[in-house]
């Protein structure tokens, strides 16, 4: 996943309303009116939020007659997971190397202490 795509995805999810919409869509498809129900905003504002989510590839609204359902696009989450996993593994490798260095330092300290006794 490109850096630009990741920026759009994380940017879209940074907004609490859009994050909540995604969480609600994880339970199943919904119409725009159903998605709009819990929010104190105009339908036009809900459509703007959906547009950001669509541009990020997080949701889709298949063409057809109204009311159209909004559907969560799970492939984006698979790509996000792979991206996150890559950096998690790198961080774990760094921590493993640090653990090894600290263990070696601890062994050296213990060896020096025994030599002095």
């Amino acid at each position: 996943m490109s850096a630009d795509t990741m920026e759009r995805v994380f940017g879209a999810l940074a907004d609490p309303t859009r994050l909540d919409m995604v969480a609600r869509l994880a339970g199943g498809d919904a119409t725009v009116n159903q998605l709009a129900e819990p929010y104190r905003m105009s339908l036009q504002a809900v459509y703007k939020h959906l547009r950001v989510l669509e541009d990020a590839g997080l949701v889709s609204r298949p063409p057809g007659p109204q009311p159209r359902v909004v559907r969560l696009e799970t492939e984006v989450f698979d790509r996000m997971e792979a991206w996150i996993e890559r950096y998690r593994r790198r961080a774990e490798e760094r921590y493993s190397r640090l653990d090894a260095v600290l263990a070696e330092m601890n062994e050296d300290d213990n060896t020096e202490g025994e030599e002095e006794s």
Side-chain angles (χ1 to χ4, degrees):
M1 187 176 270
S2 73
D4 184 51
T5 303
M6 291 304 297
E7 183 178 337
R8 279 193 313 244
V9 169
F10 284 117
L13 294 174
D15 181 85
T17 300
R18 291 191 291 266
L19 185 61
D20 185 61
M21 287 178 175
V22 167
R24 290 177 55 222
L25 287 169
D29 298 350
T31 66
V32 174
N33 285 332
Q34 289 169 329
L35 278 175
E37 284 175 7
Y39 308 115
R40 290 184 158 180
M41 65 178 73
S42 69
L43 204 53
Q44 182 179 6
V46 171
Y47 274 107
K48 285 183 180 182
H49 281 294
L50 288 175
R51 182 69 181 169
V52 172
L53 292 171
E54 284 178 306
D55 289 346
L58 290 161
V59 301
S60 64
R61 289 184 291 157
Q66 300 289 343
R68 295 186 302 174
V69 296
V70 180
R71 180 170 291 131
L72 195 59
E73 294 297 329
T74 57
E75 302 84 32
V76 173
F77 293 99
D78 293 337
R79 291 192 304 262
M80 286 175 59
E81 182 180 19
W83 184 87
I84 291 168
E85 180 63 21
R86 181 177 58 215
Y87 290 100
R88 186 190 62 76
R89 277 194 309 270
R90 287 183 185 176
E92 283 183 354
E93 289 169 4
R94 281 195 338 263
Y95 289 132
S96 292
R97 288 192 303 267
L98 178 60
D99 286 344
V101 168
L102 292 174
E104 186 177 313
M105 290 173 63
N106 193 26
E107 287 176 13
D108 289 346
D109 287 347
N110 289 340
T111 304
E112 286 177 13
E114 290 174 6
E115 291 175 1
E116 292 176 3
S117 300

